[in-house]
Amino acid sequence: MRVDVPDTPACRRSYEIAAEYHSPSLLNHSVRAYLFAAAYADERGIAFDAELLYVAAMLHDLGLTREFDNHSLGYETAAGHVAWAFAAGAGWPVARRERVAEVIVRHMWAEVDLAEDPEGHLLELSTAMDISGRSTDLIPPAVREETLARYPRLDLAAEFTACVLDQGARKPDSFAAGFVRSGIADRIAANPLNA
């Protein structure tokens, strides 16, 4: 099963931004998030906006970076604001700018309703697969193997754990803090994709 990456100016520019500001581990995570989401959707016949999902996947963790970290907002909310500004620069209408920000914020929810928000559902699912190892058996095996070979995890487990612990400590009311309290560090360490 081959997953196509949408080739639009917004997709190319969002990858450039991710590559500029993310470490190699976080950049590969962003790419895997899209590929896992798209493969899952394609295998199940879920219709989704590929450009919107790709841009959201590339920009969803920008709030973890030093340059875009916000002293009071959760990193997903900060990243959503960056994505809104990016989408404005890309010429997207206001409703589409709001959608990309919404998808990024919702990727931190425990669950996003597929019928209400397919892109948010897919990004929430794929990032949980890649970070905490939830439902990795739902990734088509051929896609999982090829994606991990092309975009290896590198130091993602240690790096992301450090980021979420830092965010949780500084922002006690954030999603990150809730994840820390619920044992995210242990789930990241036990992720079968790390093997």
Side-chain angles (χ1 to χ4, degrees):
M1 173 179 218
R2 185 170 188 276
V3 179
D4 291 323
V5 171
D7 185 21
T8 68
C11 290
R12 291 190 298 273
R13 298 295 89 77
S14 67
Y15 180 86
E16 286 180 22
I17 290 170
E20 178 68 25
Y21 291 101
H22 283 320
S23 68
S25 296
L26 280 175
L27 176 62
N28 284 0
H29 160 64
S30 297
V31 174
R32 286 192 308 272
Y34 175 79
L35 295 174
F36 290 165
Y40 174 88
D42 288 347
E43 189 171 78
R44 288 159 182 78
I46 298 170
F48 67 97
D49 182 325
E51 180 184 56
L52 179 66
L53 180 61
Y54 186 86
V55 169
M58 291 306 104
L59 305 180
H60 80 276
D61 278 340
L62 280 179
L64 293 174
T65 66
R66 180 176 45 82
E67 295 85 354
F68 297 110
D69 187 9
N70 184 290
H71 74 283
S72 62
L73 297 177
Y75 73 87
E76 71 287 347
T77 303
H81 286 295
V82 173
W84 193 100
F86 167 84
W92 288 10
V94 171
R96 191 163 176 79
R97 296 174 208 169
E98 291 171 354
R99 275 293 294 137
V100 73
E102 183 177 68
V103 168
I104 289 171
V105 169
R106 289 179 176 181
H107 96 275
M108 294 288 280
W109 289 9
E111 189 174 335
V112 180
D113 185 273
L114 172 62
E116 180 186 330
D117 183 356
E119 296 80 19
H121 173 82
L122 293 169
L123 189 61
E124 179 275 318
L125 178 67
S126 68
T127 55
M129 290 171 169
D130 200 51
I131 293 297
S132 65
R134 191 180 76 199
S135 303
T136 56
D137 58 316
L138 299 178
I139 307 167
V143 171
R144 182 176 52 241
E145 292 170 20
E146 180 182 343
T147 301
L148 289 170
R150 289 187 66 199
Y151 304 98
R153 295 180 66 73
L154 305 173
D155 296 323
L156 181 66
E159 183 179 338
F160 195 86
T161 299
C163 285
V164 78
L165 290 174
D166 172 67
Q167 290 280 321
R170 291 188 293 115
K171 304 168 190 179
D173 295 326
S174 67
F175 280 114
F179 288 161
V180 170
R181 289 189 294 272
S182 71
I184 188 69
D186 292 337
R187 291 192 301 279
I188 292 171
N191 186 338
L193 298 179
N194 292 333

